[in-house]
């Protein structure tokens, strides 16, 4: 199969959110609203990508940085398209773009019970960190999108 990988744009949002909602282990929040994703893409231009098959989004990687460290979110591939290295290619492109911007380390947060996600990242040489906790505090309304 021939796929197209291109930079993510806000016009992809409806297809992306539908894909994300169908992925086990991927949790959506208010931060994933269309307005928030649009702002994220504007702040992190050139770092997030989609994979298309016949104008249908079948894979995504949402990527950005804080000027010091990169962060990857929502690496998702339609289950019908897995085992074709789509996720790997999307991540590789984003990591290369981070490197071009002087960012030499990248993090991803994966839920403990996301078996598929944890296997994916471990198989690609990502190291599971220990020795610290992640604390979260909402500064606004708590709302989930989808699931």
């Amino acid at each position: 199969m021939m796929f197209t990988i291109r930079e993510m744009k806000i016009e992809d949002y409806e297809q992306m959110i539908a894909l994300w909602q169908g992925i086990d282990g991927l949790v959506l929040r208010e931060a994933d609203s269309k307005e928030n994703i649009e702002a994220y893409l504007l702040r992190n231009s050139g770092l997030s990508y989609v994979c298309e098959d016949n104008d249908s989004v079948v894979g995504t990687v949402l990527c950005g940085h804080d000027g010091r460290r990169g962060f990857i979110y929502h690496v998702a591939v339609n289950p019908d398209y897995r085992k074709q290295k789509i996720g790997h290619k999307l991540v590789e492109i984003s990591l290369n773009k981070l490197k071009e911007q002087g960012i030499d380390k990248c993090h991803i947060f994966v839920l403990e019970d996301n078996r598929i996600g944890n296997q994916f990242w471990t198989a690609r040489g990502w190291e599971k960190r220990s020795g610290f906790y992640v604390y979260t505090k909402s500064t606004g309304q708590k709302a989930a999108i989808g699931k």
Side-chain angles (χ1 to χ4, degrees), residues 8-20:
M8 184 183 286
K9 54 189 178 185
I10 196 58
E11 291 80 12
D12 299 316
Y13 183 80
E14 284 72 24
Q15 288 190 64
M16 293 182 326
I17 202 79
L19 173 64
W20 295 343

Side-chain angles (χ1 to χ4, degrees), residues 52-112:
E52 288 184 312
D53 181 27
N54 294 318
D55 297 322
S56 293
V57 172
V58 298
T60 63
V61 59
L62 187 63
C63 181
H65 67 81
D66 62 9
R68 196 169 80 76
R69 295 288 184 250
F71 298 92
I72 290 179
Y73 306 94
H74 299 345
V75 175
V77 176
N78 180 315
D80 296 336
Y81 289 82
R82 290 185 180 161
K83 305 291 184 198
Q84 299 181 60
K85 301 211 177 273
I86 292 171
H88 176 80
K89 290 175 187 172
L90 289 166
V91 169
E92 186 177 317
I93 291 168
S94 289
L95 290 176
N96 286 335
K97 294 297 182 177
L98 285 171
K99 188 175 182 178
E100 287 174 12
Q101 293 186 22
I103 306 299
D104 64 356
K105 186 177 270 191
C106 187
H107 302 294
I108 182 162
F109 297 98
V110 182
L111 295 176
E112 286 181 46

Side-chain angles (χ1 to χ4, degrees), residues 22-26 75-79 82-83 108 110-124 147:
I23 301 295
D24 287 336
L26 198 156
V75 175
V77 176
N78 180 315
R82 290 185 180 161
K83 305 291 184 198
I108 182 162
V110 182
L111 295 176
E112 286 181 46
D113 62 354
N114 182 345
R115 185 182 53 81
I116 293 171
N118 282 294
Q119 287 174 348
F120 176 86
W121 296 106
T122 300
R124 274 139 197 89
K147 295 181 184 178

